[in-house]
Amino acid sequence: MLKLQQKHLKLRKIQQKNSMKVSYEYYVDTFKGKICQPEFENLVEPVIDLVKGYAEQFIAPWALEKNIDYYCLELKQAVCYQIDYLRANGGLNALNGTSDLDLQSVSKDGFNYSYGDRGNKFNGVPFSSVSAYMIKSELRRKGLMCRVAKRYD
């Protein structure tokens, strides 16, 4: 029984390390992404942190572990969709608060055009609705999508 528990813990550690880590090979070969490797390398780590932060907000505070990797969430595709979405909306500049979604209106020679809602944002950063859906679905599958108040009586 002890060997089985040790094997399970070892497997969980491997899963934790790989649950959100996205390599360029995975991005190109499996996800079929199109951006170049240098741009991918600049975006991947901040996007992983962004996806983790987005997921954490839906886990009940009393159930939240120090490291979200504990839950072994499979969010590689969500990370890839978010990388592509950020690339399309300002790239690294979007992470620094300057995204293409911030444009509200355009005026030229008496012609004015105003934009309505320009998409989702998380902490001021454009956030893909496809990524958001995938993250929420994974949290539901794992039983972590919880907003019920905990009683302390």
Side-chain angles (χ1 to χ4, degrees):
M1 183 68 173
L2 184 60
K3 284 185 178 183
L4 183 62
Q5 287 175 334
Q6 289 174 337
K7 187 176 181 180
H8 178 72
L9 286 174
K10 194 174 189 178
L11 180 61
R12 187 174 192 90
K13 285 182 182 180
I14 291 169
Q15 288 173 332
Q16 287 173 351
K17 287 180 182 178
N18 297 322
S19 63
M20 282 192 235
K21 189 69 178 167
V22 177
S23 67
Y24 187 69
E25 290 75 27
Y26 175 87
Y27 175 76
V28 171
D29 297 337
T30 304
F31 182 74
K32 307 297 184 203
K34 303 288 184 218
I35 68 174
C36 63
Q37 189 166 1
E39 191 170 10
F40 172 86
E41 297 298 336
N42 287 333
L43 289 172
V44 68
E45 290 302 322
V47 166
I48 289 172
D49 292 339
L50 190 67
V51 166
K52 284 180 180 181
Y54 186 83
E56 283 178 346
Q57 73 178 336
F58 296 104
I59 300 172
W62 62 86
L64 187 62
E65 294 293 328
K66 287 182 182 178
N67 188 344
I68 196 167
D69 292 333
Y70 170 83
Y71 301 109
C72 300
L73 300 172
E74 187 54 53
L75 297 175
K76 288 182 181 182
Q77 269 197 315
V79 168
C80 291
Y81 278 113
Q82 183 59 28
I83 288 169
D84 281 356
Y85 191 75
L86 268 184
R87 162 89 174 18
N89 290 289
L92 280 176
N93 289 335
L95 293 169
N96 298 323
T98 310
S99 96
D100 294 348
L101 295 180
D102 293 335
L103 182 65
Q104 297 296 317
S105 64
V106 176
S107 297
K108 176 94 172 145
D109 299 331
F111 174 76
N112 295 319
Y113 183 80
S114 296
Y115 294 102
D117 183 20
R118 300 266 339 256
N120 299 327
K121 286 191 172 190
F122 173 66
N123 288 345
V125 177
F127 204 83
S128 164
S129 48
V130 175
S131 290
Y133 171 77
M134 295 178 93
I135 292 165
K136 290 175 187 176
S137 294
E138 179 68 4
L139 290 170
R140 275 189 212 98
R141 275 193 289 281
K142 299 276 185 164
L144 296 169
M145 192 74 161
C146 181
R147 284 292 178 190
V148 178
K150 185 174 183 179
R151 295 183 59 171
Y152 291 99
D153 31 348

